[in-house]
């Protein structure tokens, strides 16, 4: 009998319980090997994710910042002075970029009716706080310009009355960037990135303080004449008038010609009806009482006078 046969015989003589126990041990060992293999594979997958060899987790994107939509643009740098052809008499010289204004307004109170006949147009006068121009000074100039016989009342077609409340239009004296904000819904008044011209944008009639204080380089008629021209030109847009060109070299420019940008060989003129007689000088040379100021209001491109009812007119296309 061989050694193998003897081992088989001895195994056959072992109790059945011992055999069963041995079988169980073998099965448990096999199960342990399988579990170890599976858990090891999980650990490998996780390591691959960490070091980038497996599926890389998608990063959560950062939220996109919301842009600042401020009404007043903040220029990043002051541009160099630039020139723009003025159509006949020289360049438009644009200076340095001005700082933003205060955005606060001071309003004049009510005043007399100007003119002798026709439909009454009501208006307000406002000066931005912080400008080197008093409310009394600007109001007096607006009143004198609108009431002059050479102005828009000169043919008896209309009258003007300054009021303290709702009006057909408001004449603003505004710093350049405030003027830009008041005008931007209708026209861009910038030249070379700098707010330069005046405008009419619905009820707001906007006089750029830089033009009021310094005039326009292409206008050769003097500062007082330019100021009256600017008021009459923009009020003319509110009355429905549109731009015209020079009618002939050497003639007086029409008040609706864009004289801020060039005279086109015409002569400077501030008046709608320049041939009407000028008003006599005041008998009393002392200044009149200053207008009564109303409580100040914060600036907004929304004109507080826009609630008024306009007299019948053909408004035309508002332009600077």
């Amino acid at each position: 009998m061989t050694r193998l046969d003897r081992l088989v015989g001895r195994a056959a003589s072992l109790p059945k319980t011992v055999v069963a126990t041995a079988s169980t041990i073998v099965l448990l060992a096999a199960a342990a090997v399988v579990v170890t293999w599976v858990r090891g594979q999980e650990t490998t997958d996780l390591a691959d994710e960490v070091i980038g060899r497996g599926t890389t987790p998608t990063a959560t994107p950062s939220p996109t910042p919301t842009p600042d939509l401020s009404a007043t643009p903040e220029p990043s740098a002051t541009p160099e002075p630039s020139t723009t052809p003025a159509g006949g008499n020289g360049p438009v010289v644009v200076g340095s970029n001005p700082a933003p204004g205060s955005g606060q307004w001071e309003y004049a109170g009510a005043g007399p009716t100007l003119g002798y006949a026709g439909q009454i147009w009501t208006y307000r006068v406002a000066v931005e706080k912080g400008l080197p121009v008093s409310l009394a000074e600007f109001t007096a100039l607006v009143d004198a310009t609108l009431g002059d016989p050479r102005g828009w009342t000169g043919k008896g077609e209309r009258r003007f009355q300054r009021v303290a409340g709702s009006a057909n239009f408001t004449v603003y004296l505004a710093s350049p960037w405030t003027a830009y904000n008041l005008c931007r819904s209708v026209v861009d008044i910038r030249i070379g990135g700098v707010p330069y011209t005046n405008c009419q944008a619905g009820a707001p009639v906007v006089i750029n303080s830089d033009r009021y204080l310094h005039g326009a380089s292409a206008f050769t008629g003097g500062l007082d004449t330019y100021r009256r021209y600017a008021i009459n030109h923009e009020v003319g847009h509110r009355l429905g008038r549109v731009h015209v060109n020079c009618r002939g070299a050497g003639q007086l420019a029409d008040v609706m010609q864009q004289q801020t940008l060039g005279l086109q060989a015409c002569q400077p003129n501030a008046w709608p009806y320049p041939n009407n007689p000028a008003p006599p000088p005041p008998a009393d040379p002392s200044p009149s009482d200053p207008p009564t100021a109303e409580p100040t209001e914060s600036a907004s491109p929304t004109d507080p006078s826009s609630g008024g009812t306009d007299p019948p007119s053909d408004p035309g296309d508002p332009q600077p």
Side-chain angles (χ1 to χ4, degrees), residues 236-237 240-244 254 256-257 315-317 319:
H237 281 313
R241 302 305 195 274
V242 297
H243 288 151
V244 299
D254 192 287
M256 297 312 298
Q257 183 178 323
D317 183 18
Q319 301 178 68

Side-chain angles (χ1 to χ4, degrees), residues 277-288:
D284 182 4
S286 63
S288 58

Side-chain angles (χ1 to χ4, degrees), residues 26-107:
V26 172
L27 291 175
L28 289 175
V33 171
V34 172
V35 169
T36 300
W37 181 84
V38 172
R39 292 182 61 84
Q41 183 62 43
E42 288 180 350
T43 304
T44 303
D45 289 345
L46 179 61
D48 285 341
E49 291 178 1
V50 171
I51 66 176
R53 290 199 297 263
T55 303
T56 303
T58 303
T60 302
S62 301
T64 302
T66 302
D68 181 12
L69 300 179
S70 173
T72 302
E74 295 290 345
S76 57
T78 300
E80 294 296 325
S82 60
T83 58
T84 300
N89 284 66
V92 173
V93 178
V94 180
S96 61
N97 203 342
S102 70
Q104 302 294 318
W105 300 104
E106 190 176 13
Y107 288 88

Side-chain angles (χ1 to χ4, degrees), residues 165-317:
S166 179
N168 299 128
F169 61 91
T170 296
V171 183
Y172 289 99
L173 181 63
S175 62
W177 280 112
T178 301
Y180 169 78
N181 284 329
L182 287 166
C183 299
R184 64 190 301 180
S185 64
V186 174
V187 63
D188 188 345
I189 65 171
R190 296 174 297 178
I191 295 178
V194 177
Y196 186 82
T197 63
N198 315 290
C199 87
Q200 174 262 333
V205 170
V206 184
I207 306 301
N208 186 326
S209 64
D210 270 9
R211 303 286 68 73
Y212 182 88
L213 293 169
H214 308 299
S217 59
F219 187 90
T220 60
L223 184 57
D224 184 69
T225 301
Y226 178 80
R227 289 171 174 175
R228 295 171 187 270
Y229 152 75
I231 293 169
N232 278 323
H233 181 92
E234 304 307 338
V235 170
H237 281 313
R238 183 59 173 151
L239 298 175
R241 302 305 195 274
V242 297
H243 288 151
V244 299
N245 293 320
C246 177
R247 294 187 172 93
Q251 297 186 25
L252 284 179
D254 192 287
V255 75
M256 297 312 298
Q257 183 178 323
Q258 291 180 289
Q259 298 177 55
T260 296
L261 302 180
L263 294 173
Q264 301 173 338
C266 273
Q267 297 300 312
N269 169 48
W271 303 105
Y273 308 114
N275 294 325
N276 282 5
D284 182 4
S286 63
S288 58
D289 293 335
T292 302
E294 294 187 88
T296 60
E297 300 182 20
S298 60
S300 168
T302 303
D303 179 32
S305 71
S306 60
T309 303
D310 290 346
S313 67
D314 179 11
D317 183 18

